[in-house]
Amino acid sequence: MEDYKLVKHAAPRKYSYNDSKTVIHVKSSTPFMSAVKRIDKTFGYYDSKYTKKGKPIPNENKNVGYITVRGMGKTILKVMNLALYFEHEQNRKVEVFTKTLTVLDELKSTNKDKDDVFQKRQVSCVELRIHFTKS
Amino acid sequence: MKEPTGLETKGVDSQGRPAKAKHSRGRELYRLRRQEKLLRYAARLKLSGNLIDGERVSARTMKMRSKLQALKERIDELSELKQQQVNNSVGSIDWTGINQRATIDKISTIRYSSRQRDYKWLPTHVWHAKRAHMVKRWGFNVPYEPTMKCFRQTSRQSRIKGCVGFDTSYMNTVILKGDGVFVLIGELTNDEATGKKYHSKGRVWEGFLMLNGEHLCRSLIWWIKSGTECVLRFHPSVYDVLLDHLVNHAKNVEFEDCRYSLGSLTVTGPQSLWSLASVLHPSISSEAGSTFEKLAGLNEVSALPVGSTFSMFIDDPRLWPKPVRPTGKYADVLDLIIDVQNGKATDRSAIEALFSKEGRVASYHGQPSLKQLGQRRTPEFLGKPIPKLESDPQIPVVIVKTTQGLVLFAPWHWILPIWHQLVHVPHFSMGGTKQLNQLGFEKGELGFADCVFTRAGFLEGQLKMKELATKWSKRPKSKRFNISKLNEAGSPFGCDWRYLQLLWKYLGELPEVEDHSGTEFTELQERVVKTKRDVFEKIQDTIQKDETLAQLGKPVFAQLPIELYRGEHHRPSTEKLPLVAIQFSMLNRGHPHDNARIYKIPETEYSSWMDAANKKTIQGRTVALEKQCPGKEHLIGYVTSATFNLAQGKGTGVGFIASKAYDHLNFNKADFVLVRNVGSTACHLAQWKLVAVQ
């Protein structure tokens, strides 16, 4: 396979604007603490808020009950650590799901006469659901 | 306005304040100016006795009425002669230049013809002129950056949510046909774009064009017919050079210059496919159209491989009152993506129509005006799409995934209707050339101005340098910083490549043991380099010589002082300094700016720099280093663009270093360099990586 250069592509996922507020993707270069802070901030966004006089501001996001955290491949370890952190440090209810994702590998041929090869590869993935409610 | 009573004092209003001088404004002023110009033409006609096209008439013997009659007849005659047949009511016309340069005829630009004499407008000019700073570059009026601040928004929309769109119609497209195309493309790309992968499998090639041993610009080549017909898309800065080559040197090649007949939009970000799909409605049910619709829900950040292509016929986007949320089912996406690579999403007839003059003219056939569409939108169709008529045109479009994002090609006069719909997609934002550069730099890629090894990129840098220098010189002495005190390596206004070239050249002449016996000159009055001091003196001598040459009007940079390092097998010319492109990110502190200087760490200080870099205070913050900046002799390169990178959370940038310095760093396995901003004494550690220029 010397004639090919591997280009990895992101796991295909559906675009949804609202997902950007409830789904957090952890990658291998994400530091553990920045993932923790990002999740914490998202909780803050969905917390019930009050006016200066102490009246509650109606929450428009009542349907959202948890935040999803996903990581695949070598990030699984980091995601599991996140699960432990939120379960024990913050006493939140955490659900763990395992998944298998199919991703696309592009083998770019360095030889201009040979065609590129596209392959599918399966990667394991972990999904956490960290609930707002504390146990 | 109040009617005058006749009792007012002259020159004073009813309040006693001096009245404002009355003068015409807006359209009235424009009309008067045109009238004045016409009168001047008429006066000249009277004096010389010539008609505009040069025919002689005895103006003295003619009466005024007959003069006007003659003029009117002449105008009618000329307008019939010039006018091309238009197959629509809105004056859309195809300005393709066949085997010659394309020009815009006056026909549809008559309204603002005088404003577009030197710099043509993009199809979306009027929209952009209200919302962005425009710059006049490369024969076009190009949006530079939106008026609203958008650094963070652009970065986030291109990575996390939403999308960013650009009107890139200023990029030139040429369609090459004939038996000589294969040879020509081989010459221009060092035989790279002529591989089987590209010409028979239809993959899109992206890379640098080469002409006479010099890099021209990054371009895109797409073979439409194997070996005989291809689309060449390139930057407008090299338009003249390339077109000259096509006209004078290309053999057995016919070309169509689509500078003003093919427009393009670039959309990037996770929502880009979604946004395009909510605006483009395939007009006939085809496999290509349905594949595109099925993929519409895909989050498009590195999910689609570069080179994926779509092509189809679409309906007039103005039939819909607003963008429509795509409804295609999202399933088996990976198989679909692989199918797209095998050409499942391309409709041959759409490609042929878009890249031929007849096809584009046909797409304008019966193009309705906004007024006609408004008349068809009767109350029962409020909020719904207007029913399609048989006379409504079908528009061929092509979408190509490039490194910059999804590029949509469409006929020039269909770009505006598509753009008008696209900007109404939620979470869509627009950008200019500055934002395109920002996105490139965040990914560690080279933008147009970063490519200093191309003539256009180099001149761009020189221009910016000159502009800043003039700005500086115009300030009063008390308000401007003192350049001589800065003791900057090269000009403080930009990346001074000439300085770097001379520095490395003269440092090479320096003997191993310095000789302090005094200054010496050769017979040609050139300084002999004996000490480090001589090196800098000699640089000053040469730069002064350059300035004298420039004042005499002789070109200083007939040969660029730098070139791109192309590996050991390529023997560089002795004069030019070979450069290597690098990207870097700051190790802990430091906010690098454009034109920052790159130094290598002196060997004696390497360990102390490393120690100091790892020190941390109790709060976990790194200590500001109070270490001296290395001397000018350690300068290895310049940063072309750098700033705080939101994607990485620290300062990053791209720049160029001398290839010898690159070898030295590689040999010593040194991952770090020092970066210093212009006018600053603080040096910061940065980790560098090679950028492959291809």
Side-chain angles (χ1 to χ4, degrees):
Chain A
M1 299 298 268
E2 278 175 10
D3 292 348
Y4 294 100
K5 194 183 138 200
L6 175 67
V7 180
K8 288 181 181 176
H9 288 284
R13 57 179 203 254
K14 199 177 175 186
Y15 176 74
S16 157
Y17 185 81
N18 288 340
D19 272 4
S20 59
K21 286 175 188 161
T22 53
V23 182
I24 289 164
H25 291 266
V26 178
K27 55 180 174 178
S28 57
S29 62
T30 315
F32 179 77
M33 274 326 282
S34 44
V36 169
K37 281 178 187 171
R38 191 177 295 171
I39 296 165
D40 265 344
K41 270 181 203 167
T42 326
F43 282 133
Y45 178 80
Y46 289 106
D47 268 355
S48 32
K49 295 181 186 74
Y50 300 90
T51 58
K52 273 183 189 172
K53 288 178 182 170
K55 279 184 184 173
I57 299 171
N59 196 344
E60 290 170 2
N61 305 302
K62 274 180 193 165
N63 297 333
V64 184
Y66 56 82
I67 282 169
T68 312
V69 182
R70 284 194 202 120
M72 58 184 203
K74 67 175 171 185
T75 344
I76 289 178
L77 192 69
K78 202 180 286 170
V79 177
M80 291 317 293
N81 279 334
L82 282 171
L84 291 173
Y85 177 90
F86 281 97
E87 202 166 4
H88 297 289
E89 299 279 320
Q90 296 199 0
N91 293 328
R92 288 186 191 273
K93 187 187 163 195
V94 179
E95 287 176 292
V96 183
F97 297 89
T98 56
K99 286 182 169 187
T100 308
L101 289 182
T102 320
V103 292
L104 183 69
D105 276 349
E106 184 183 357
L107 293 169
K108 263 197 170 168
S109 74
T110 43
N111 183 349
K112 60 182 181 177
D113 291 327
K114 271 191 183 173
D115 209 10
D116 299 339
V117 180
F118 295 90
Q119 288 175 346
K120 286 199 258 184
R121 175 167 53 94
Q122 292 197 319
V123 196
S124 42
C125 166
V126 165
E127 181 179 307
L128 306 182
R129 285 182 188 170
I130 309 178
H131 289 258
F132 294 159
T133 47
K134 291 193 177 181
S135 55
Chain B
M1 225 172 118
K2 223 171 129 185
E3 280 290 310
T5 53
L7 297 171
E8 295 89 353
T9 318
K10 198 181 173 189
V12 177
D13 67 2
S14 55
Q15 306 287 319
R17 286 185 294 243
K20 275 182 191 167
K22 275 184 190 169
H23 62 81
S24 313
R25 288 166 201 279
R27 280 185 190 175
E28 179 62 15
L29 185 68
Y30 182 71
R31 193 184 62 79
L32 284 173
R33 281 200 180 138
R34 299 296 297 182
Q35 211 169 32
E36 190 201 347
K37 267 190 187 169
L38 276 174
L39 280 171
R40 282 203 183 142
Y41 278 128
R44 208 175 298 157
L45 177 76
K46 193 179 162 190
L47 283 176
S48 64
N50 281 323
L51 283 180
I52 297 169
D53 64 342
E55 191 190 325
R56 269 196 87 77
V57 284
S58 52
R60 280 188 188 172
T61 55
M62 283 170 91
K63 294 249 168 69
M64 184 52 116
R65 201 170 280 268
S66 53
K67 257 190 225 175
L68 286 174
Q69 186 65 32
L71 258 176
K72 197 169 169 282
E73 276 168 16
R74 198 69 197 142
I75 288 169
D76 284 349
E77 205 177 300
L78 283 173
S79 53
E80 265 173 34
L81 202 80
K82 273 267 173 186
Q83 208 158 16
Q84 282 188 39
Q85 285 292 316
V86 178
N87 56 5
N88 53 70
S89 59
V90 281
S92 298
I93 200 160
D94 193 78
W95 292 302
T96 309
I98 292 172
N99 291 330
Q100 60 178 6
R101 281 158 197 254
T103 50
I104 288 193
D105 289 339
K106 276 185 180 170
I107 189 150
S108 75
T109 54
I110 196 146
R111 215 161 152 204
Y112 302 113
S113 59
S114 54
R115 301 187 201 176
Q116 295 190 58
R117 197 173 295 139
D118 299 328
Y119 297 95
K120 300 288 185 278
W121 286 359
L122 301 183
T124 60
H125 177 85
V126 177
W127 192 93
H128 268 105
K130 290 177 184 171
R131 296 163 178 88
H133 294 294
M134 310 295 283
V135 283
K136 290 184 166 137
R137 300 305 310 273
W138 317 302
F140 286 103
N141 244 316
V142 181
Y144 176 60
E145 61 172 331
T147 342
M148 301 268 278
K149 278 188 181 180
C150 63
F151 183 80
R152 285 161 186 239
Q153 190 196 28
T154 307
S155 169
R156 286 180 187 153
Q157 301 226 137
S158 70
R159 290 180 292 119
I160 304 163
K161 45 191 173 186
C163 62
V164 193
F166 309 86
D167 182 0
T168 43
S169 301
Y170 54 85
M171 294 293 276
N172 296 137
T173 317
V174 171
I175 294 151
L176 301 165
K177 288 174 189 172
D179 300 331
V181 177
F182 197 76
V183 180
L184 177 78
I185 293 294
E187 279 170 11
L188 288 174
T189 61
N190 275 346
D191 286 333
E192 275 181 29
T194 48
K196 251 188 196 170
K197 182 167 129 182
Y198 304 109
H199 79 77
S200 61
K201 297 277 180 181
R203 302 286 299 161
V204 175
W205 181 85
E206 266 191 286
F208 274 92
L209 289 186
M210 304 279 291
L211 194 63
N212 305 328
E214 254 190 36
H215 285 83
L216 273 189
C217 70
R218 230 180 125 69
S219 70
L220 180 147
I221 291 172
W222 189 29
W223 291 94
I224 310 173
K225 281 178 194 157
S226 175
T228 53
E229 191 175 339
C230 78
V231 178
L232 171 64
R233 183 179 192 250
F234 53 91
H235 196 270
S237 60
V238 297
Y239 178 76
D240 285 334
V241 185
L242 210 56
L243 262 280
D244 275 345
H245 185 76
L246 285 181
V247 172
N248 301 326
H249 302 290
K251 285 171 192 160
N252 297 333
V253 174
E254 286 183 6
F255 69 89
E256 286 181 16
D257 178 14
C258 301
R259 188 174 162 90
Y260 305 119
S261 51
L262 264 181
S264 65
L265 302 176
T266 305
V267 190
T268 177
Q271 194 194 278
S272 50
L273 256 179
W274 195 90
S275 308
L276 284 176
S278 56
V279 169
L280 310 178
H281 307 280
S283 58
I284 33 174
S285 59
S286 64
E287 200 177 15
S290 63
T291 313
F292 178 68
E293 282 181 331
K294 274 181 204 161
L295 274 177
L298 187 66
N299 183 328
E300 215 289 291
V301 171
S302 89
L304 270 186
V306 169
S308 310
T309 42
F310 302 89
S311 68
M312 65 204 124
F313 282 101
I314 58 159
D315 281 336
D316 188 342
R318 296 170 300 173
L319 294 178
W320 281 261
K322 59 181 181 184
V324 181
R325 179 183 279 266
T327 50
K329 269 195 176 175
Y330 180 83
D332 298 331
V333 180
L334 270 186
D335 291 326
L336 271 179
I337 293 176
I338 294 173
D339 286 344
V340 168
Q341 310 312 314
N342 299 328
K344 195 182 172 188
T346 47
D347 180 351
R348 286 298 312 171
S349 52
I351 297 174
E352 278 161 21
L354 181 66
F355 296 121
S356 70
K357 184 167 176 161
E358 299 76 39
R360 287 189 297 268
V361 170
S363 81
Y364 297 141
H365 186 76
Q367 187 181 18
S369 65
L370 276 176
K371 192 174 176 182
Q372 286 166 339
L373 283 170
Q375 282 163 349
R376 278 162 61 185
R377 184 173 284 120
T378 43
E380 64 263 33
F381 297 120
L382 263 183
K384 289 179 204 158
I386 309 168
K388 199 180 150 192
L389 298 181
E390 268 189 24
S391 59
D392 279 339
Q394 294 183 345
I395 311 150
V397 292
V398 164
I399 301 169
V400 180
K401 168 84 191 269
T402 66
T403 42
Q404 281 188 332
L406 290 168
V407 179
L408 168 90
F409 292 90
W412 186 265
H413 294 288
W414 281 112
I415 287 289
L416 185 63
I418 296 174
W419 179 258
H420 271 152
Q421 284 286 44
L422 200 58
V423 293
H424 286 108
V425 176
H427 314 298
F428 174 94
S429 71
M430 61 124 175
T433 47
K434 194 178 172 187
Q435 278 64 43
L436 266 182
N437 269 356
Q438 180 196 337
L439 294 184
F441 133 84
E442 278 187 357
K443 285 185 238 160
E445 288 164 5
L446 301 178
F448 166 72
D450 294 324
C451 296
V452 286
F453 50 89
T454 63
R455 187 163 283 270
F458 181 79
L459 290 179
E460 179 94 357
Q462 293 289 314
L463 260 177
K464 273 186 194 163
M465 229 158 105
K466 239 184 200 172
E467 202 180 296
L468 279 177
T470 348
K471 227 179 184 178
W472 175 85
S473 66
K474 276 181 183 168
R475 302 203 73 190
K477 210 175 175 186
S478 57
K479 293 273 166 66
R480 66 192 187 195
F481 59 86
N482 190 346
I483 289 186
S484 55
K485 261 191 183 173
L486 278 181
N487 193 19
E488 199 55 69
S491 161
F493 300 111
C495 303
D496 198 343
W497 300 109
R498 175 71 166 153
Y499 184 93
L500 193 72
Q501 176 209 15
L502 295 174
L503 180 74
W504 278 78
K505 190 180 168 194
Y506 298 148
L507 276 178
E509 291 174 14
L510 188 72
E512 276 185 21
V513 184
E514 289 189 22
D515 172 11
H516 293 277
S517 59
T519 320
E520 257 183 59
F521 286 91
T522 61
E523 287 173 2
L524 292 166
Q525 288 303 306
E526 276 186 8
R527 200 181 290 266
V528 180
V529 176
K530 290 156 88 181
T531 61
K532 262 181 203 168
R533 195 187 158 82
D534 286 336
V535 172
F536 298 110
E537 296 281 344
K538 197 169 176 182
I539 293 173
Q540 286 312 318
D541 293 347
T542 323
I543 285 176
Q544 264 177 13
K545 259 186 214 168
D546 282 354
E547 278 169 12
T548 343
L549 273 179
Q551 277 166 2
L552 290 171
K554 287 179 186 169
V556 182
F557 295 119
Q559 284 270 317
L560 296 187
I562 46 176
E563 66 176 355
L564 192 72
Y565 180 62
R566 282 186 245 163
E568 285 164 3
H569 59 275
H570 180 79
R571 282 191 72 80
S573 69
T574 47
E575 277 300 308
K576 288 182 177 180
L577 177 72
L579 294 179
V580 173
I582 60 160
Q583 55 166 303
F584 63 88
S585 62
M586 306 312 283
L587 200 61
N588 31 45
R589 292 196 143 221
H591 182 163
H593 292 303
D594 293 2
N595 310 330
R597 274 67 175 132
I598 306 175
Y599 296 89
K600 64 171 183 264
I601 306 173
E603 278 163 30
T604 48
E605 293 175 28
Y606 196 82
S607 55
S608 65
W609 267 103
M610 289 296 115
D611 290 345
N614 294 327
K615 265 185 199 163
K616 288 191 176 181
T617 60
I618 301 163
Q619 284 97 22
R621 293 207 174 167
T622 45
V623 190
L625 298 177
E626 287 185 9
K627 290 188 65 66
Q628 268 219 326
C629 181
K632 283 185 203 170
E633 67 274 15
H634 295 289
L635 182 79
I636 53 173
Y638 293 109
V639 173
T640 47
S641 46
T643 187
F644 190 79
N645 187 335
L646 287 171
Q648 289 194 25
K650 53 188 168 185
T652 64
V654 282
F656 288 85
I657 58 172
S659 68
K660 277 182 190 167
Y662 166 71
D663 291 340
H664 179 81
L665 289 175
N666 253 354
F667 182 73
N668 293 332
K669 290 183 181 160
D671 291 340
F672 302 100
V673 286
L674 294 174
V675 175
R676 182 182 64 84
N677 283 335
V678 179
S680 155
T681 49
C683 248
H684 294 289
L685 269 176
Q687 195 165 18
W688 67 275
K689 232 173 31 181
L690 186 73
V691 175
V693 179
Q694 52 188 4

